[in-house]
Amino acid sequence: MSNPQQLRYSKEHEWLSVVEDGVATVGITEFAANALGDVVYAQLPEVGDTVTAGESCGELESTKSVSDLYSPVGGEVVEANQDVVDDPSLVNSAPFEGGWLFKVRVADEPEDLMSADEYAAFTAG
């Protein structure tokens, strides 16, 4: 599995795009999507919600289990991916493209986000 080099990764298996104009995109990794199985329901944070790095801000339900969604950064949600709400399978089929979850105006970015290579080593062991 190939993790895009330009993204940053959390230990909770979320990815974060590079911040542009203060806004970053958040999704779950291919590793997490595979572990979850077929995602059938997505509860995402709503526009205007404040999220805190490392804290639950929604959930993903699959045929195997329900998993909390954690924000890798703190800030205000500026967009939720309605396509994923309408078709949660996008999380499995395109976790780094159309399966992104929400966009956040970043207020704080933790120091412990990993590079693609660091995340690959983290998930390998």
Side-chain angles (χ1 to χ4, degrees):
M1 128 183 26
S2 177
N3 297 305
Q5 292 292 319
Q6 74 275 17
L7 302 178
R8 295 290 164 253
Y9 301 87
S10 74
K11 291 182 178 176
E12 288 80 24
H13 307 288
E14 278 81 26
W15 58 261
L16 176 78
S17 70
V18 175
V19 178
E20 287 185 35
D21 298 327
V23 176
T25 303
V26 175
I28 68 165
T29 65
E30 185 176 5
F31 178 88
N34 289 340
L36 272 173
D38 295 333
V39 177
V40 295
Y41 174 76
Q43 178 208 345
L44 305 179
E46 296 183 9
V47 172
D49 285 354
T50 299
V51 294
T52 302
E55 292 190 10
S56 177
C57 62
E59 67 181 29
L60 297 174
E61 183 177 330
S62 72
T63 54
K64 291 181 181 179
S65 67
V66 176
S67 179
D68 282 334
L69 171 63
Y70 296 93
S71 181
V73 294
E76 180 183 350
V77 176
V78 297
E79 185 178 352
N81 189 347
Q82 186 62 44
D83 290 342
V84 165
V85 173
D86 295 341
D87 182 7
S89 70
L90 287 170
V91 171
N92 299 104
S93 63
F96 297 114
E97 294 89 25
W100 61 273
L101 301 175
F102 62 95
K103 294 185 180 184
V104 59
R105 184 166 308 287
V106 177
D108 62 74
E109 186 174 335
E111 301 280 326
D112 63 348
L113 294 178
M114 297 175 273
S115 69
D117 293 337
E118 291 167 331
Y119 181 73
F122 174 73
T123 56

